Structure formats: structure tokens, C-alpha cells
Amino acid sequence: MQTFLQYTILGLAIGGSYFIAASGLVVTYTTSGIFNFAQGAIAMLAVFTYWQFRWGWNWPAPLALLMVLGVLAPLLGAALYQVVMKNLRGTSEVTKIIVPIGVMLGFQALATWVWNPTSSTPRQFQKFFGPNAFVHFGSIKVSWHEIIAFVIAIAIAVGIRLLFVRTRSGVAMRAVVDDPELLQLNGGRPERLALISWAGGSFLAALAGILIQPMIGSAMSAGQLTLLVIDAFAAAMFGRLRSLPRTLAGALVIGLTTTYVIAYFPSKWTWSSSFRNSLPMIFLFIVLIVLPQDRLRGATVLRLRERFRMPSIRTAWIAGLVLMVVVFCLKVIMERTAVNTLTLALTFAIIALSLVLLTGFAGEINLAALSFGAIAVIVVYHFGTTGSGTAARTTLWGILLAAVVTALVGAVIALPALRLRGLYLALATMAFGVFVSRMVLTERNERDIFGLKFTIFTAGQLTIPKPKIGPFDFNSPDAFLFLCAGLFAIIGIGMVYLRHSGYGRRLAAMKDSPAASATLGMSVVRLKLSIFMMSAAIAGIGGVMMAAQIGTVNSDRFDILLSLSLMMITVVGGIGYISGALFAGIFLIAFVQMLDLTLKKFAVDYSSIEAIFLFFVSVVTVLPATIGITMGKNPSGAVSDIVAGLDQIKQSKPLVITLVGLEAAIWALAATDIITNWHFVILTMVNLFIVPVVGGKILLARAMRGVPKPVPPELIGIDRPFTFDDLAEMDRALDLEGVVVLSAETVREGATGVSA
Amino acid sequence: MSETHYHEDHGAIADAPLIELVDVRAAYGTIEVLHGISLSVPQGSVVALLGPNGAGKSTILKVVSGLLQPTAGEVRLAGRVVNGAPADELARLGLCTIPEGRGVFPNLTVRENLWMATMSGVPLADVEEIAYARFPRLGERRKQLAGTLSGGEQQMLSMARALSVNPSVLLLDELSMGLAPLVVANLYEIVAQVSQEGVSILVSEQFARTVLGIAQYAAIVLHGTITKVGTPAELEDELSAAYLGS
Ligand SMILES: Nc1ncnc2c1ncn2[C@@H]1O[C@H](COP(=O)(O)OP(=O)(O)OP(=O)(O)O)[C@@H](O)[C@H]1O
Ligand SMILES: [Mg+2]
């Protein structure tokens, strides 16, 4: 009984903290329509900052609290809204999800940079009034901290309720959800309300973090804290991002069950702590499944700022060929380590292809691509290899089996989530990803499953040999490089074929409007299920290749944060393009690594200004996230810009010839060892990026002076305003001269009446 | 370009008009839907915008209310150019807009809806008093969610806001949408009274008959341009042509 009470109180306190974080989510979502994935990261930053003030610099607690909760957290939230989130109006759901994820990853990298996790002294974070401040109720002993946490949670629940009902600003916040324009017509300021609510949401996140950190009783870890408050997502979803009482109920249930699991599961169940950690995610998954579906909104199809053009099948084949040739040329001049990096980049590009298929083609979102990779790797490890030692190889059957299993797992995840769309499906996959990380990849003990002795993640790491397919052995690094490049090209070309087929058009239709597609008699369920399975299989194959390239992988390789980074960078590259996936792989693996190595090399070479280079090494860790955050400004992705630039260049034959000739010359110099690979890389960058940009600018300027580039008729009205001259032009083209009702002249003259 | 046609034709209005549009163009994204609109609303008069679906009537009202920035031309309120002023600022300065078909916040109660009207400066008690006096039905339902009111009651609620905030300019978009003729006639009676108190009113309407009964002037909007302006009597012939979409 005593244990029960003790744990109940702890559970209520933890649940209360979850509620505080969740209520922040509700408030920001209410006024801005953006689900703040960075909520946990804000809490994490607050915990570290508070630690810095309180124990790093020994400030008194009230002052540290005032600084963090009263000043910094609200400022951070307001700045976040003003600088980043405000720009997300009119972007697609994917962008609205990716940008906050970028913020989350950025904060994460920032915290690791400022508070180096490998520093010698572990950071201790204590409860309010110290670790020994208890109150005794009869025989049970309750820490003041837990009481404070629970009381604050209740106070906040009441406070927000009063705000929403009793104050005009609060009612106006609810009015914003209904109709921001109408509120403006009433004289309200929706933008300012959103700003205030983001400041408030950030305050609540910070408060939750400071309350919860000492209660979970482990060392401060940026990654863990970020994901910990994500547990509040489940509570927020239980309240459907609207109802505060339900959110509170959900949070308390989660808090209580997780503590009861610790208290009452037999200690010989080695998996119970993993289970406790994944419980909120399981809860989130169940809530998402039983959640009544939001009405499909077919009527309000927004005009989005994103636009993707699919290449023709011929272009796809040519691009595939070019890729192979480029990879070959690079291989000739590259060192072994560089080849390895390039191969790894290509394997990530294959995983990113699964995202292009799912999100770019079908508009669904998977935030846990690498978790599917992990499952495929487990399958291959257990069932898909032959031989041992250096003769060990992954078999074709192993890879195919892994693809089938991941596809099936994909179906299991997608089936319940099929009714869901956008944000909800994204959260469901994220729940799955965290579940895999916390529950499956921590399974190192031998289990007796139905009489079968089995260890899922043996010794915390799995060794995957290189594949051998029929007579072809891909054990050598070069052969494996070509395998990965070929695989990427083939899957990519296959996807272009798919996109051009009737199936692909149905996907595009579903992406635009599921409701309309259903009305037209399409089986949206079959379509979604099949695309999700295909995507999962591709992620699985990519995951196996990734593991085979690395050799021995541990669970960190499949971390949910890495999945999120990959998704984000693919969106940055252009989620609608095959080349967007290539961009993601190259950028995330090769480019970041190259920058990192280059800067570290410089730091060694020029040790007097070492600090400057090491600073930039840290900057590089924040770089991908920073780029992700800028997505709001350019939702079609970088590839679309490059494509637009290429279109300009293609117009000028001399420029194309110069570029290709120069590049060939640079390559020849490198191949004959006249210049080093460093020079090759730098010259190539100059040649391929700077020359086209400058050349393109010059061409553009010349084009501006002359006749403007004609806009294809189907894009009139999209690329530039539709004018009455266009109408006349179109009428002429269609031989409708006599039918014209309003010619440009009658319009310009204004009220001259209507010609019959 | 700034001449407005009926000034010359009728010479009726000597004062500076309260609302004046001069060669206004507006676009959604890159699609231009208003191609040079010139129009003025004299103080205390009712001007009706008539025209078929998609002609651009609502867009004209959006430009005046500040929800949509014109891409060219000028919008003047009481002689001052207000291009670029945000809608909420104009609202607080005395411009009241009842938008198309959705003048209420469905998830707020009747009373909370009225509360939102107080942002233009009138105390809640006054707003409630005026609203319930004019529409006793609303008084009975002050705790009910506006989304659950009948269409007519919802329109009463949005009219109640227009009446109680004491505006100098009233913009009405399709007051009649989905309402029984009797209710429409009733609402327009109120609009006529309001205009007699000196409020300048610009109203967009499909149902020409009802609104022409109270409007001093009407403008026919077709394909984003004004094709004819005049008194209701003068427009009789044009109207049928406009609606047949010639
Ligand atoms: N938000 C928008 N985005 C893009 N185009 C729009 C938008 N709103 C209106 N339009 C277009 O602008 C044109 C004018 O629309 P508007 O709503 O002003 O017409 P209206 O005269 O009020 O018609 P109705 O009588 O049907 O209300 C239409 O062609 C419409 O399709
Ligand atoms: Mg309209």
C-alpha cells in the first residue's frame, strides 16, 4: 500500500509535468496551426540553461528560475514564431512538420555543442529545495518537488481554462482557430495572439522540463530530454490538440502507468524498463488509431507554394546513366576512405528514395525511415547470410526476405493509420520509430519465443556482410559502390515509370484530395497501403546496404533523430524529385563529413587559429538543421532551384560546352595526379556551382533586356499573372475571335458596357 | 482616372465620398481578378455591387476591408489612402465588415462572439444591450454555441455586431445567402435604418431585387471590372443582361 501511494504520487507528478508540456502544444497549435515538434527541445534547452545558472554559476534558485522561465523561454518562443513559424502560412503539411523538426534538431545540436556531453564531470540536476526535502504523510515520504510539480500542473490547467473562458484575449485565441480573418475584421490581431501563445507555449515547455528532469533521475542528456517531452505528444493527442481536460487525463494516465510499470513489473523481466520508456509511444499509437478521424476537407484545397515537375522516362534513363558515369569517374581518382563515404551517401540516398515515393508522390509522411531499415537489418542478420568470417556474404534471398518483412511491418503500421493524414500519420510513424529504438533495438537478451531461442539485437551490434548475388560478388569496395549506385538508379528510374503510370496518377490525385479521389471510386485504402509497403521495402533495402557498407552497426545508426534529419534534408533537397533523395544522401553524409574533415584538417595545419576552425566544426553540426528551418521560405526545395538554374544554362550551348569541358579537364588533371583531390573538389565546386550561377545571372540579365522568356500556356496564371491579352491570345489560337466578349480594350476603357 | 461615373452623370454628390476606389487591381497569388475598379460610396448611402458568381464582388469588399492588398490603384477611406493598412486596424477605426456566409465564430458562444466585437472599443455591456434589444432571440441563446444557431440567427448575430460597434462604414457580403426571403427583407430593413443614421454601406448581393429597394446606387461587376454604374432604375435593363452572363 505504501509503495502504491508512493508511486501514485510520483506518477501524478510526472503526469502533471507531461500535461504542462502538452498544454503548451495545445496553445501553440490552437493559434498557429503548427504542431511544435521542438517543444521537447525547448524543454531540453531550458533544463541545460537552468543547470548552467543554478549549478554552473551558482545563482540562487529564484533568480535562475526567473531568468529561464520569465525571460529566456518566452523570448525564445516569441522569436521562434516571429522568425520561423510565421512564414509557414500557405505551405503544405509536410513543410509545416519539417520546419519545427529542423528547429528541434538544431536545438539538439546546439545543446551538444554548448554543453559537451563527453565533458568529465557529470551534470547533476536536483529537485527543488534539494534532494532531501521531504514531507511525511503518516508513513509515506513525498518530496516537495513532486508536490510542487503536481500542484503547478493543476494550477496551470485551471489557469489556462480561465484564460480561455474568462479573458477576451483567451477567447480571441479560440476565435483564431475558427476564423483568423473574421477576427481581424473584428479588430483583433491574430499574429500578435500567435506570438503571445508561442511565448506561453515555450514557457510551459521550459517549466515542464525543469520539473521533470530531476524526477526521472538520470543524467542530463540532450537527446533523451528532447524525446522525453515528446511523450507529452501522446497526452496532447488524447485531447485531440483541443480539449484541456482530456489532455490532463491523458497525461496523468501516462504518468501513472509508466511509474506502475517500474513499481510492479517483476525485476527479472529485463525488458520492463524499455517497456516503460516506450509506453508513451505505444499509448500515442493507440490514441492515434482510435482517434475519430478529422473530417476530410475536400472543399478547401489550398493553393500550395510547392511545385514539382516529373522528368520524362527518357530523362530518367539518361540521368541514371550519367550517375553511373560520374560515380565511375569519381572512383578512379578517389581514395579508399572517400569511396566508402560516397557509398554510404548512396545508401542513405536509397533510403531517402523511400521518402520521395511516399511523401513526394503520395503526400503521406513517414518520420521513421531508418526504423524500417533496422528491421530489415535484423532480418538479414538472422536469416539472410551465408558463410562465416571473411567468406560471409548477404544473399539475394536475404535481401528480398528483408524487403518483404519490412513491407509487411509497413502495412501493420500503415493499416491503422490509413484513416489518418498528414500530422497524425507522421506522429504515428514517429511513435513507431521511437518504439523500435527503445524497445526492439535494446533487446540484447536471449528470449525464448514459442520455444525458439532468439536474440533480436545480439550484443548491441549486428554484423552485415557485403552481398553476393548469383555469380557477382560485391565484397570489394568498388564493386559495392557500383551496386549501390546501380540500385539507386534502378529504383529511381522505376519510380519515374511508376509516376507516369495510371497508378502514379492516382497517387497524385490522392495527394491532392483524398476525399475527391474516394468520390471518384478509387480505393484510397489500397492505394495508401500499397505505397506505404513499397516505401517501407525500399527503406529496408537501403538500410541493409547501409549496414553492409558500415560492416557492424549498433542501434545508434537507426536513431529516430537520424531518420528525422534524413527526412528534413530530403525535403530541403526537394521531396518531389528523385534527385532530391540523392541530394539528401550526399549532403547528409558526404558533404557534412567532408566539411568536418576539411575543417579539422585545417585546425591541425594551422594550429595557431585552431579555435576558429573548431568553432566552424561545431557550426557544421548545426548546419543541416539551419537549412531545414529555412524551408518555409522555399518549400519546393533546393533541387527545384538547381533545375531552374539549369534550364537557364541549357539555353546557352557555349556555356554548357565550357562547363563540361572544364570539368573534364579538371578530372583529367586529378586522374593523372597533377592536382590533388582537395583541389579537384574545390575546382569542381567552383566550376559546377559558381560558374553556372554567375553565368546564369548574366544570361538572365540579357534575357531580361530582350524578349522575356515565354511562359508555357499551362503555367500562365501560375508563373505570371493572367491578363486579358492572354485571353485574346488564347482565343486567337483557338479561332474564337468572334466570340470574345470582353476584349482587352473594352476592359481598359472600363464602363463602356458589355458587347453582346 | 479618378472620375467616378455617376458623379458626372447625376451630379448628386457634392461631398467627398467616404469610400473611394481608384483604378484598383487585385490578385490572388499571381491571378489577377480585379482589373481596374473605380467606385465611390457617398456618405450615408447604400451602394450595391451586383453581378454573377465569380465576378469579383467579394474581392472588392476584401480589398476595401484590408484583407487583400490591391496590386495597383488606391483605396481611400474618408479621403485618406489606406492601401496596405491591415484589416484589424481599419476595423478599430470604424470599418465593419460582415463577410460572406460566415460572420460568426462557430465554436464560440453567442456572448463570446459579441465579446469579440468589443475590440473596436465599445464595452461588452453596451454591445450586449444593443444586440439583445434588436434581436431578442439572441438574448435567449447567449450561452449557445454560434455554430449551432440557425442560419438566420447566425446572420442576426453578425448583424448585431455591425449595429453595436457604431461603425462609420459597413461592408456586407451576401447577407441573403441561404436565408428565407422574409428574413432577408427584415435584415435589409435594418440596413436601410442604419444608413439613415449616416453610415456608408457597400453591399454585395446576388438577389438584386431586395437590395435595389434600399440602394441609392448600384454597380454591375462582370469579370473583375465594373461595367455599369447608376441608380437602380437605370440599371433595370442591364441587370438581366448581366445575369444571363452575356
Ligand atoms: N482565395 C482565392 N484564391 C484564388 N482565387 C480566388 C480566391 N477567392 C476568389 N478567387 C477567384 O476570384 C474571382 C472572384 O471571386 P469573388 O469571390 O470575388 O466572386 P464573387 O463575385 O463574390 O462571387 P459570388 O457571387 O459567387 O460570391 C473568382 O474567379 C474566384 O475563383
Ligand atoms: Mg462573393
Side-chain angles (χ1 to χ4, degrees), chain B residues 57-58 100 173-174 204:
Chain B
K57 306 180 297 290
S58 300
E100 194 169 15
D173 198 354
E174 309 251 345
S204 131

Side-chain angles (χ1 to χ4, degrees), chain A residues 20-191:
Chain A
I20 295 172
S23 65
L25 279 172
V26 174
V27 170
T28 48
Y29 186 78
T30 296
T31 50
S32 62
I34 295 165
F35 187 80
N36 187 10
F37 278 86
Q39 186 82 344
I42 294 174
M44 178 273 299
L45 274 188
V47 167
F48 275 94
T49 313
Y50 182 73
W51 175 88
Q52 189 65 52
F53 291 162
R54 181 76 184 85
W55 291 286
W57 297 336
N58 279 317
W59 291 12
L63 181 63
L65 280 176
L66 182 74
M67 253 333 255
V68 173
L69 298 179
V71 182
L72 295 178
L75 272 182
L76 179 68
L80 210 51
Y81 179 75
Q82 198 63 23
V83 179
V84 182
M85 305 302 171
K86 213 167 97 173
N87 297 325
L88 295 183
R89 236 157 255 256
T91 58
S92 70
E93 194 129 30
V94 178
T95 310
K96 284 201 178 100
I97 290 172
I98 284 304
V99 170
I101 286 180
V103 173
M104 162 181 159
L105 295 171
F107 284 173
Q108 173 87 26
L110 195 69
T112 322
W113 174 6
V114 178
W115 293 280
N116 186 353
T118 54
S119 85
S120 49
T121 44
R123 297 187 179 84
Q124 288 305 323
F125 198 102
Q126 287 170 3
K127 296 184 175 180
F128 287 137
F129 307 117
N132 299 317
F134 291 105
V135 204
H136 293 268
F137 293 108
S139 62
I140 54 169
K141 198 169 90 166
V142 183
S143 85
W144 269 111
H145 189 93
E146 285 162 21
I147 297 175
I148 291 173
F150 186 67
V151 169
I152 290 182
I154 298 300
I156 282 179
V158 174
I160 297 182
R161 169 102 194 132
L162 287 180
L163 171 79
F164 275 166
V165 178
R166 294 285 169 81
T167 71
R168 195 175 72 182
S169 300
V171 175
M173 283 183 183
R174 281 161 52 215
V176 171
V177 199
D178 275 357
D179 194 336
E181 283 196 349
L182 182 59
L183 186 67
Q184 256 192 309
L185 294 176
N186 272 284
R189 302 175 178 88
E191 291 289 334

Side-chain angles (χ1 to χ4, degrees), chain A residues 165-168 171-172 174-175 178-179 181-189 717-718 721 724 741-742 747 753-754, chain B residues 30-31 35 67 88 91-92 99 102-108 112 115-119 161 222-223 225-227 246:
Chain A
V165 178
R166 294 285 169 81
T167 71
R168 195 175 72 182
V171 175
R174 281 161 52 215
D178 275 357
D179 194 336
E181 283 196 349
L182 182 59
L183 186 67
Q184 256 192 309
L185 294 176
N186 272 284
R189 302 175 178 88
I718 297 176
F724 272 83
V741 176
L742 282 162
V747 168
V754 189
Chain B
T30 52
I31 306 168
H35 316 286
L67 283 180
D88 51 82
R92 290 192 297 275
R102 46 173 183 92
V104 301
F105 300 102
N107 289 310
L108 265 50
E112 285 171 337
W115 203 355
M116 292 298 98
T118 63
M119 293 202 217
R161 170 165 75 85
L222 264 185
H223 300 302
T225 53
I226 290 185
T227 57
S246 61

Side-chain angles (χ1 to χ4, degrees), chain A residues 170-246:
Chain A
V171 175
M173 283 183 183
R174 281 161 52 215
V176 171
V177 199
D178 275 357
D179 194 336
E181 283 196 349
L182 182 59
L183 186 67
Q184 256 192 309
L185 294 176
N186 272 284
R189 302 175 178 88
E191 291 289 334
R192 202 167 75 173
L193 289 173
L195 188 75
I196 293 171
S197 69
W198 274 78
S202 176
F203 160 82
L204 291 170
L207 179 60
I210 290 174
L211 287 174
I212 210 164
Q213 168 61 32
M215 287 194 287
I216 56 171
S218 57
M220 284 161 62
S221 135
Q224 201 196 2
L225 264 168
T226 302
L227 290 179
L228 188 80
V229 187
I230 288 181
D231 293 357
F233 288 2
M237 280 297 146
F238 192 67
R240 272 181 255 166
L241 289 173
R242 265 196 300 269
S243 152
L244 283 172
R246 289 176 58 127

Side-chain angles (χ1 to χ4, degrees), chain B residues 55-241:
Chain B
K57 306 180 297 290
S58 300
T59 309
I60 296 176
L61 293 182
K62 272 193 194 169
V63 168
V64 178
S65 67
L67 283 180
L68 187 68
Q69 302 307 331
T71 50
E74 283 187 356
V75 182
R76 299 190 197 136
L77 284 179
R80 268 174 298 173
V81 179
V82 295
N83 289 26
D88 51 82
E89 206 174 311
L90 294 178
R92 290 192 297 275
L93 288 174
L95 181 113
C96 180
T97 313
I98 310 263
E100 194 169 15
R102 46 173 183 92
V104 301
F105 300 102
N107 289 310
L108 265 50
T109 64
V110 168
R111 185 168 172 275
E112 285 171 337
N113 264 281
L114 292 174
W115 203 355
M116 292 298 98
T118 63
M119 293 202 217
S120 49
V122 185
L124 180 59
D126 295 2
V127 173
E128 281 191 286
E129 196 184 308
I130 296 170
Y132 302 151
R134 180 77 76 150
F135 304 107
R137 199 107 66 92
L138 293 179
E140 295 159 19
R141 297 169 196 274
R142 61 187 82 186
K143 292 248 164 78
Q144 191 173 329
L145 288 186
T148 62
L149 295 174
S150 79
E153 288 163 348
Q154 292 192 11
Q155 208 58 287
M156 285 178 198
L157 182 53
S158 46
M159 275 304 281
R161 170 165 75 85
L163 295 175
S164 55
V165 298
N166 238 331
S168 46
V169 176
L170 188 54
L171 306 178
L172 301 170
D173 198 354
E174 309 251 345
L175 213 50
S176 64
M177 198 191 247
L179 298 183
L182 205 63
V183 181
V184 176
N186 214 334
L187 287 173
Y188 274 117
E189 211 168 284
I190 298 173
V191 172
Q193 287 172 20
V194 171
S195 100
Q196 264 145 38
E197 289 161 20
V199 180
S200 316
I201 301 175
L202 184 58
V203 42
S204 131
E205 207 28 282
Q206 297 259 2
F207 267 128
R209 298 277 161 257
T210 337
V211 72
L212 285 184
I214 61 157
Q216 277 83 41
Y217 301 99
I220 295 180
V221 188
L222 264 185
H223 300 302
T225 53
I226 290 185
T227 57
K228 186 85 183 175
V229 184
T231 60
E234 291 168 339
L235 286 175
E236 279 295 327
D237 296 343
E238 308 290 336
L239 273 179
S240 46

